[in-house]
Amino acid sequence: MTLKTLVFSVATAAATVLALPANAQFAKAEDAIKYRQSSLFVIGEHFGRIGAMVNGKLPFDAKAAQENADIVAAMAALPWAGFGPGTDKGAKHKAKPSVWTEQAKFKEHAQTFQTEAAKLAAATKSGDLAQIKTAFGPAAQSCKTCHDAFRNR
Amino acid sequence: MTLKTLVFSVATAAATVLALPANAQFAKAEDAIKYRQSSLFVIGEHFGRIGAMVNGKLPFDAKAAQENADIVAAMAALPWAGFGPGTDKGAKHKAKPSVWTEQAKFKEHAQTFQTEAAKLAAATKSGDLAQIKTAFGPAAQSCKTCHDAFRNR
């Protein structure tokens, strides 16, 4: 599988995000917690590499930006399945109780991130750093907004 | 991003696998270890869901099989970047020293898994459980062979 061959569609992404969690199954809460932490960590690593280019900490590499953004976009739908009912305990984690008491708001944040991640992946296909910067801002903000509201420090 | 829109190509996959690690950067060994463990865990969860269908522990759901296989194939290239030089220590892990002393063999296993994961994803597009079973076997075997050789219990 080459990530360069992934075909992204912002339009269809908006229509079908959050479709995967319905198929998700975890043997136990501990697995769900590990799953969401793992997928978010991998996303964070790849997102951070784009951020380093956007912030000038790494030289801009259009191909690497695209590959990293493709991974982020392909995985953006995954973590949310790990926040199902009963997964507020079972292992050490930083999620606030509000994840489960304010589900609608949490899902809205998850949805926003997926939309922004798809836009960022689309922007990296231009090979133009300015366009990538424009798309990176709202994507990064969607992480921060959700973390501030739903994650303990 | 919808995983249903991912386009896979076994042919190009074979040519471009292991391309991503060249772009990978980790701040410290601990991050690389966490990254490979995280990506392998997410892959394992999704691969396991296909296995449950193949083994009759879960009812066959063609759409879910395809979604899970797409995730596995999209992520199959990722973990290996986390096994770079110097990442034999830095955090608790199960990788054997042979990962770093038998790099060629390890890379060959990583490559085999990516090829088999792409074939499995292609097979799920048929919607035919028999074809999925045929592709699942070698993919599962590629996990086991590598774990037996390179992972402590």
Side-chain angles (χ1 to χ4, degrees):
Chain A
M1 169 61 204
T2 162
L3 281 147
K4 287 184 296 182
T5 63
L6 301 188
V7 172
F8 293 93
S9 161
V10 176
T12 56
T16 59
V17 283
L18 296 174
L20 273 169
N23 301 310
Q25 295 120 359
F26 297 98
K28 46 188 191 293
E30 187 187 340
D31 292 344
I33 294 167
K34 191 173 173 184
Y35 175 86
R36 72 198 189 207
Q37 291 172 335
S38 294
S39 50
L40 285 165
F41 182 78
V42 174
I43 289 170
E45 280 291 314
H46 291 281
F47 192 75
R49 289 172 199 167
I50 307 168
M53 292 184 217
V54 163
N55 298 318
K57 288 176 189 167
L58 270 184
F60 177 55
D61 176 334
K63 184 169 168 283
Q66 190 173 331
E67 287 173 347
N68 284 305
D70 280 354
I71 296 166
V72 171
M75 292 184 67
L78 303 186
W80 326 112
F83 291 94
T87 63
D88 54 332
K89 40 185 168 287
K92 198 179 158 186
H93 69 80
K94 291 186 188 173
K96 289 184 184 174
S98 51
V99 166
W100 294 273
T101 57
E102 297 174 34
Q103 276 273 302
K105 191 180 159 196
F106 182 68
K107 283 187 178 175
E108 192 184 313
H109 282 299
Q111 171 88 54
T112 301
F113 171 61
Q114 291 169 79
T115 304
E116 298 301 336
K119 286 182 186 171
L120 176 59
T124 60
K125 293 187 180 19
S126 69
D128 173 27
L129 183 57
Q131 285 189 46
I132 296 168
K133 280 184 182 176
T134 301
F136 184 83
Q141 188 58 46
S142 77
C143 300
K144 186 181 182 311
T145 307
C146 192
H147 290 168
D148 286 351
F150 291 105
R151 186 178 73 167
N152 287 313
R153 287 171 184 276
Chain B
M1 170 59 205
T2 162
L3 280 147
K4 287 185 295 181
T5 64
L6 301 188
V7 172
F8 294 93
S9 160
V10 176
T12 56
T16 59
V17 282
L18 294 176
L20 273 171
N23 302 309
Q25 296 120 359
F26 297 99
K28 47 187 191 293
E30 186 188 342
D31 292 344
I33 294 168
K34 190 173 173 184
Y35 175 85
R36 71 198 190 209
Q37 291 171 335
S38 294
S39 50
L40 285 164
F41 181 78
V42 174
I43 289 170
E45 280 290 315
H46 290 281
F47 191 76
R49 288 173 200 167
I50 307 168
M53 291 184 218
V54 163
N55 297 319
K57 287 175 190 167
L58 270 184
F60 177 56
D61 176 333
K63 185 169 169 281
Q66 190 173 332
E67 287 174 347
N68 284 306
D70 281 354
I71 296 166
V72 171
M75 292 184 68
L78 302 186
W80 326 112
F83 291 94
T87 63
D88 55 331
K89 39 185 169 285
K92 199 179 159 188
H93 69 81
K94 291 185 187 174
K96 289 183 183 175
S98 52
V99 166
W100 294 275
T101 57
E102 297 174 34
Q103 276 273 303
K105 191 179 161 199
F106 182 68
K107 282 187 180 177
E108 192 184 313
H109 282 298
Q111 170 88 54
T112 301
F113 171 62
Q114 291 169 79
T115 304
E116 296 302 336
K119 285 182 187 171
L120 177 59
T124 59
K125 295 191 180 14
S126 70
D128 174 27
L129 183 58
Q131 286 190 46
I132 296 169
K133 280 184 182 176
T134 300
F136 184 83
Q141 189 57 46
S142 77
C143 301
K144 186 181 184 308
T145 306
C146 192
H147 289 168
D148 287 350
F150 292 104
R151 187 179 72 168
N152 288 311
R153 285 170 186 278

